[in-house]
Amino acid sequence: QVQLVESGGGLVQAGGSLRLSCAASGRTFSRYFMGWFRQAPGKEREFVAALRWSGGFTNYADSVKGRFTISRDNAMVYLQMNSLKPEDTAVYYCAAKRIGVSEYDNWGQGTQVTVSS
């Protein structure tokens, strides 16, 4: 079974940076997309960024484009977050889905990111 474990969240001032990590285990992910999602208080969960495990594809929400970078190194998926804004405050989730599957169906437990003004 897929296991996704996020880490790296915390409290940071506006304009600062954080790097989130997602440790992926349980199977071979060569035919998977890996994604980051977030959910702010009172709002629905939203897409942040994604990559293809085997490489060659990344995608970002407009709200984070140019500030966030998703990457993979071995079994670790990262989300580098720069120029953070208070509106980035949310619980951030790592997710995985097999290529050809419409929706992400594997999720981590989430890690809190709080950006103060």
Side-chain angles (χ1 to χ4, degrees), residues 89-100:
T89 295
V91 177
Y92 283 71
Y93 297 91
C94 182
K97 74 175 186 72
R98 189 176 175 88
I99 293 172

Side-chain angles (χ1 to χ4, degrees), residues 97-115:
K97 74 175 186 72
R98 189 176 175 88
I99 293 172
V101 175
S102 295
E103 298 182 357
Y104 286 83
D105 54 358
N106 295 282
W107 297 87
Q109 83 287 350
T111 185
Q112 176 72 47
V113 172
T114 303
V115 184

Side-chain angles (χ1 to χ4, degrees), residues 1 6 8-9 29-30 32 34-36 51-52 59 68 70-71 79 81 83 86 99 103-104 106-107 109 111 114 117:
Q1 36 274 323
E6 303 98 329
F29 292 90
S30 58
Y32 275 72
M34 306 298 296
W36 286 97
L51 59 69
R52 190 172 65 189
N59 190 30
F68 291 10
I70 187 170
S71 63
L79 185 69
M81 305 186 296
S83 301
I99 293 172
E103 298 182 357
Y104 286 83
N106 295 282
W107 297 87
Q109 83 287 350
T111 185
T114 303
S117 60

Side-chain angles (χ1 to χ4, degrees), residues 1-113:
Q1 36 274 323
V2 171
Q3 285 190 336
L4 305 172
V5 181
E6 303 98 329
S7 61
L11 176 64
V12 64
Q13 288 191 330
S17 298
L18 283 174
R19 188 175 77 163
L20 306 183
S21 300
C22 174
S25 62
R27 66 180 62 192
T28 299
F29 292 90
S30 58
R31 294 180 59 84
Y32 275 72
F33 283 105
M34 306 298 296
W36 286 97
F37 292 75
R38 67 187 183 187
Q39 187 168 25
K43 301 186 69 175
E44 300 215 8
R45 187 174 296 182
E46 66 175 348
F47 170 80
V48 176
L51 59 69
R52 190 172 65 189
W53 187 272
S54 59
F57 175 85
T58 58
N59 190 30
Y60 298 92
D62 288 343
S63 59
V64 307
K65 203 163 190 176
R67 300 188 297 122
F68 291 10
T69 304
I70 187 170
S71 63
R72 182 182 68 81
D73 182 16
N74 297 124
M76 298 293 293
V77 180
Y78 301 102
L79 185 69
Q80 178 66 46
M81 305 186 296
N82 298 327
S83 301
L84 283 162
K85 305 174 180 179
E87 51 262 46
D88 295 319
T89 295
V91 177
Y92 283 71
Y93 297 91
C94 182
K97 74 175 186 72
R98 189 176 175 88
I99 293 172
V101 175
S102 295
E103 298 182 357
Y104 286 83
D105 54 358
N106 295 282
W107 297 87
Q109 83 287 350
T111 185
Q112 176 72 47
V113 172

